[in-house]
Amino acid sequence: MTDQPQSLFSAVDALLAAVDGGGVLPALDERVRLREAAGLTQAAVAQALGVRVASIEAWEAGRAEPKAERLDAYRRLLEGLSRRFPASAAPSGNSEAQPGPDSGAAPPSAPVAPAAAPAALSRPAGPGRQPARRAEGKQSSACLHTAAAGGTDPRFANGPLAVVDVEDGQVLAYCTGGLVLDVPAKSLPALVDWTLREARLGQPKLAGPGKDADPLLVLTHAALERYGLPVTLTEEEKHAGRIPEGHKVIKQLARAEWKLTKRGFGPWARIYRPATGSERACVQLCIPSWNALDARHWGEAGQLPPADLARVLGVYASRVMTPRGSTAVTGLELMTALHPPTRASEADAAGKRHSERNPGSLGKDAIDPMNWPPCEVPDGHPVLKDLPRFHVRGPGEKLFEEAYDWARPMTDGECMLRHLVGIDVNMAFAAGANGLTIGLGEATHVKAPAFDPKLPGSWLVDLSHIDLSQVKVGKEWVELDGRLLPSPFTPKGERPTGPAWYATPTVAYAAELGYEVRPIEAYVRHDNGRYLDGWYQRLRDAYLATMADLGVAADLAPEDFLTAMDGYKARDPELAIVVSAVKATVKGGLGKLRERPRGEGWKPGQPWRALARPTWRPDIRAAVISRTRTNLHRKIVKHAAFTGQYPIAILSDCVVYAAGGTSPLDFLPYREGKPLPGGFKLGINPGLVKHEGTQTVLWGEEVRERFDAPDLNLARYIKDGTVTDADSGE
């Protein structure tokens, strides 16, 4: 006789005792139903029970169960809710009550079957594998990727990425939409292999001739320890941006015939095998504790629980793209993903297709990196190697299109007002890129050309004769106080003193103001197009969709918009992180167009790695900044012409005015809810403005007096009024 029947009977008796004693809670879906029927948030339940929100998420997901007195309190809550909100239908086949692993309701010998998951969320079948499950919590429809979702590529049914963590000795992959996969891999090479073979992670390409996004794995502290990687980098490794090539994990990858890219095993490592035909075998790793998620752009994302981090990155991936590195790298990669440099040609006589340049893209052979116009390149570029060592290029030698950093002393009339109000242009540089014609190919050098505002390029022209005290606004000439306005032609707002190099939008604005422009020479690009339109549209849509999720819609009245913007980040801090990352993607991507050398033993006059990229395009960056700055100046001029009000400080896309009240509505000329045509308009769309901050005039005067700087740029501090002694050198 075997003792098995007796042990089974004991296990059943233990389950019955747990039921009789109240140790068994309602099924997982019933717990969620009861809470939601009562309109309670997980945070409200957590506060009542004295636990963290993560604990409520775990109790509702079946990853853990309450213990001791909290078990009784939680059961009391659920029983009370069940009396108030009885189920209107019979429970589903997935609602059998189960004691949790930590409930104390059954002895360890009692067999407890795992809850079944919906078929669409199950992992591929295999020996010894558990079904997938959902981590309940905050979710967004933007990041739900399941095999059952309409239009979803079944190859990537589980979403673009996963956060890999270890809980109770089990490796788990938290995917977007709350899906959790059990990971059988015991080593990093095995993890990479599992990701490509079974995880069904990745993202479809964004454009026809492009490539699908590789799956992204985010490794938590526990996952790093499990797979033999350091949790943090040493100072030497931080400086190098990678762990040593002799590290044991890198040796494991080499033995398994996996390769690393030239940047090695760093915060954004890429592990691959050479492609065979159209099949790619590549997995990207993101390691937050190695500063992969820069806090300046991703806030506290690196400290979020795995499910929440998967949500943040999943929303970003679905609305922008799967991160490929920093927000700057991703911004640049998005340009390429939307306009791949090459495509397959039509079949030749032998029926073969070849790679050819994709029209409208920045092709690999479009520009010789060693054949740049000298005025467009930064100092140290190879085309400048023959310049004297300590030569400083002036405006007549160097294209210097940058954002505003300008301020002036306040007038007596402005000092009589009580407040300084800052307004900030939403996604200013994205708006500057919208509809902008940029060069796609080589520049042509011309002498004494007639200016063509539709031709992208760099122009050497003297704009010192333009007097801002009398300019054209539309078709009419208006008189302004030019002393209170910054020049639109220099970042510091100073009037030009002679010929200088400008991008096309700057020269076009000079002509728009009613003055004649006569270029001395130019580098123009006849092969051109609106390359950035798709890039702008995708980032705009990502920004607007996420702000709408935070309660800030695009069609709000001015007063309602200001109210909606007040404290919007607190409504969902995780989505607020996505907003920050989207905005950083815009600025960083444009900055990458003129990437400078990054160590590697570089010396002035030598080429550096970024020069070989088709997307190394300092002329495009200059054109976007030029258009952004002149767009802002145009609004300032129209506002001044209509109201007689002038800015006292401008920093990039933030403008500060003196006003009698604390709100932008105290100085913006709205009439019956309608803004000044062509002027500043409150709203969330790119190019419209929001309230940046308000301080008192006395604060501004005190700060300037403290640092003995009557033209200290107050726009830098208008948001919260904080000025430190480190700013005394301003």
Side-chain angles (χ1 to χ4, degrees):
M1 284 288 292
T2 176
D3 293 334
Q4 185 178 21
Q6 186 60 43
S7 64
L8 293 177
F9 294 158
S10 298
V12 170
D13 291 341
L15 281 177
L16 293 173
V19 173
D20 294 339
V24 177
L25 297 171
L28 305 181
D29 53 357
E30 179 66 4
R31 302 177 198 182
V32 177
R33 185 194 72 79
L34 290 171
R35 176 178 58 77
E36 292 180 344
L40 297 173
T41 64
Q42 291 177 328
V45 176
Q47 183 177 7
L49 297 179
V51 298
R52 297 182 300 117
V53 174
S55 297
I56 304 300
E57 293 176 351
W59 297 350
E60 292 184 350
R63 299 197 306 274
E65 295 287 356
K67 298 179 181 179
E69 68 275 5
R70 288 191 173 84
L71 172 62
D72 296 333
Y74 188 44
R75 184 177 63 252
R76 180 184 179 89
L77 170 66
L78 295 176
E79 288 175 350
L81 293 177
S82 66
R83 290 193 295 270
R84 291 168 173 79
F85 305 99
S88 58
S92 67
N94 184 34
S95 60
E96 291 89 349
Q98 306 168 44
D102 300 321
S103 67
S109 61
V112 181
L121 303 177
S122 298
R123 287 182 47 192
R129 299 193 182 118
Q130 300 294 322
R133 51 190 185 274
R134 283 204 171 274
E136 297 295 335
K138 293 174 286 185
Q139 298 179 20
S140 169
S141 59
C143 59
L144 292 177
H145 294 268
T146 67
T152 299
D153 192 322
R155 298 173 300 157
F156 312 128
N158 294 332
L161 55 90
V163 179
V164 181
D165 193 28
V166 181
E167 296 181 16
D168 298 326
Q170 173 63 48
V171 182
L172 302 174
Y174 289 80
C175 306
T176 55
L179 180 66
V180 183
L181 304 176
D182 291 328
V183 181
K186 305 297 183 184
S187 66
L188 190 63
L191 176 64
V192 174
D193 188 69
W194 170 83
T195 302
L196 293 171
R197 292 178 181 274
E198 301 182 43
R200 292 191 293 175
L201 296 173
Q203 191 174 34
K205 57 190 177 183
L206 297 180
K211 299 176 182 178
D212 296 328
D214 298 318
L216 173 65
L217 297 181
V218 185
L219 303 184
T220 65
H221 286 203
L224 292 172
E225 292 176 344
R226 167 61 66 92
Y227 292 117
L229 290 164
V231 172
T232 59
L233 299 179
T234 65
E235 289 301 319
E236 183 178 353
E237 290 168 345
K238 289 178 183 178
H239 180 74
R242 66 186 75 185
I243 60 176
E245 293 184 5
H247 193 280
K248 62 180 182 180
V249 172
I250 296 181
K251 291 180 179 179
Q252 290 176 0
L253 291 169
R255 285 195 296 269
E257 299 182 344
W258 290 106
K259 298 179 179 294
L260 295 167
T261 57
K262 290 182 180 179
R263 63 183 175 185
F265 203 123
W268 290 93
R270 299 188 70 80
I271 303 172
Y272 73 99
R273 287 188 180 125
T276 56
S278 61
E279 293 296 323
R280 289 172 57 83
C282 183
V283 172
Q284 178 154 326
L285 303 183
C286 167
I287 306 178
S289 64
W290 295 6
N291 199 35
L293 300 175
D294 191 327
R296 294 173 298 175
H297 310 138
W298 289 100
E300 300 299 319
Q303 283 72 53
L304 290 174
D308 295 338
L309 179 54
R311 178 188 181 231
V312 168
L313 294 176
V315 172
Y316 179 90
S318 65
R319 292 177 174 171
V320 180
M321 69 180 299
T322 302
R324 294 289 303 274
S326 66
T327 49
V329 169
T330 304
L332 199 66
E333 291 288 341
L334 179 61
M335 297 180 194
T336 302
L338 294 168
H339 286 284
T342 60
R343 68 176 184 180
S345 68
E346 294 294 330
D348 59 18
K352 293 184 178 180
R353 297 179 182 271
H354 307 277
S355 178
E356 64 178 15
R357 181 186 172 189
N358 185 27
S361 72
L362 302 180
K364 291 184 177 180
D365 301 322
I367 294 180
D368 180 354
M370 298 299 110
N371 190 33
W372 275 96
C375 64
E376 292 181 347
V377 298
D379 294 337
H381 191 279
V383 303
L384 304 176
K385 63 182 179 181
D386 294 330
L387 286 178
R389 182 176 179 184
F390 297 106
H391 177 75
V392 178
R393 293 185 295 161
E397 300 172 279
K398 179 181 180 180
L399 178 67
F400 191 65
E401 296 282 11
E402 298 295 339
Y404 267 129
D405 186 354
W406 169 86
R408 62 168 176 83
M410 284 186 274
T411 65
D412 292 343
E414 290 165 341
C415 288
M416 296 298 292
L417 297 173
R418 298 188 62 182
H419 298 283
L420 300 175
V421 182
I423 53 176
D424 181 78
V425 182
N426 295 312
M427 301 271 283
F429 295 99
N434 182 32
L436 179 65
T437 300
I438 59 104
L440 302 176
E442 295 273 7
T444 301
H445 187 212
V446 291
K447 290 284 189 178
F451 176 66
D452 183 350
K454 296 181 180 180
L455 193 59
S458 300
W459 309 78
L460 180 63
V461 58
D462 189 350
L463 301 179
S464 61
H465 62 290
I466 296 179
D467 183 3
L468 294 180
S469 62
Q470 192 172 34
V471 297
K472 259 190 174 182
V473 177
K475 296 181 179 180
E476 298 182 359
W477 285 90
V478 298
E479 292 187 2
L480 303 171
D481 190 339
R483 300 169 301 170
L484 303 181
L485 284 171
S487 167
F489 311 125
T490 62
K492 289 292 185 180
E494 301 164 343
R495 187 169 178 169
T497 57
W501 285 98
Y502 303 100
T504 297
T506 301
V507 185
Y509 184 59
E512 180 185 324
L513 291 174
Y515 290 85
E516 184 180 18
V517 293
R518 293 183 178 180
I520 300 168
E521 61 177 305
Y523 289 92
V524 297
R525 291 176 168 84
H526 297 284
D527 179 11
N528 53 63
R530 292 169 54 163
Y531 173 80
L532 294 174
D533 277 9
W535 183 80
Y536 159 78
Q537 290 161 9
R538 187 161 181 87
L539 289 166
R540 174 204 62 193
D541 292 349
Y543 176 68
L544 293 180
T546 311
M547 289 301 295
D549 288 343
L550 287 164
V552 186
D555 56 354
L556 295 175
E559 296 84 355
D560 295 335
F561 169 71
L562 292 174
T563 301
M565 286 295 294
D566 187 20
Y568 76 92
K569 294 181 180 180
R571 293 175 200 140
D572 191 330
E574 293 170 13
L575 287 183
I577 292 174
V578 177
V579 171
S580 172
V582 170
K583 293 193 290 187
T585 302
V586 173
K587 290 187 177 181
L590 294 172
K592 273 282 186 181
L593 290 169
R594 198 189 65 167
E595 183 175 353
R596 302 299 302 276
R598 304 178 66 183
E600 302 171 358
W602 175 82
K603 294 181 180 180
Q606 295 179 345
W608 59 92
R609 185 182 302 176
L611 297 184
R613 287 197 319 248
T615 49
W616 192 83
R617 294 296 304 272
D619 59 307
I620 298 178
R621 173 187 177 273
V624 173
I625 294 175
S626 163
R627 192 161 185 250
T628 302
R629 193 183 65 247
T630 54
N631 280 349
L632 182 60
H633 195 274
R634 183 181 295 108
K635 295 178 188 297
I636 289 170
V637 165
K638 290 191 176 182
H639 184 85
F642 188 80
T643 67
Q645 299 170 334
Y646 296 84
I648 66 165
I650 309 173
L651 182 68
S652 187
D653 47 11
C654 176
V655 187
V656 176
Y657 284 89
T662 60
S663 167
L665 290 174
D666 290 315
F667 70 92
L668 293 182
Y670 273 84
R671 289 186 175 179
E672 298 180 355
K674 295 182 180 180
L676 172 67
F680 295 110
K681 178 182 178 182
L682 289 166
I684 199 60
N685 278 292
L688 306 188
V689 299
K690 63 179 181 294
H691 184 202
E692 179 69 3
T694 296
Q695 305 297 329
T696 65
V697 168
L698 290 177
W699 164 86
E701 289 294 273
E702 187 276 329
V703 168
R704 286 178 163 178
E705 183 178 349
R706 189 199 322 167
F707 293 129
D708 192 23
D711 55 354
L712 182 74
N713 195 334
L714 298 177
R716 180 172 279 108
Y717 318 107
I718 195 71
K719 189 167 189 175
D720 59 13
T722 302
V723 186
T724 65
D725 291 339
D727 298 306
S728 59
E730 173 67 12

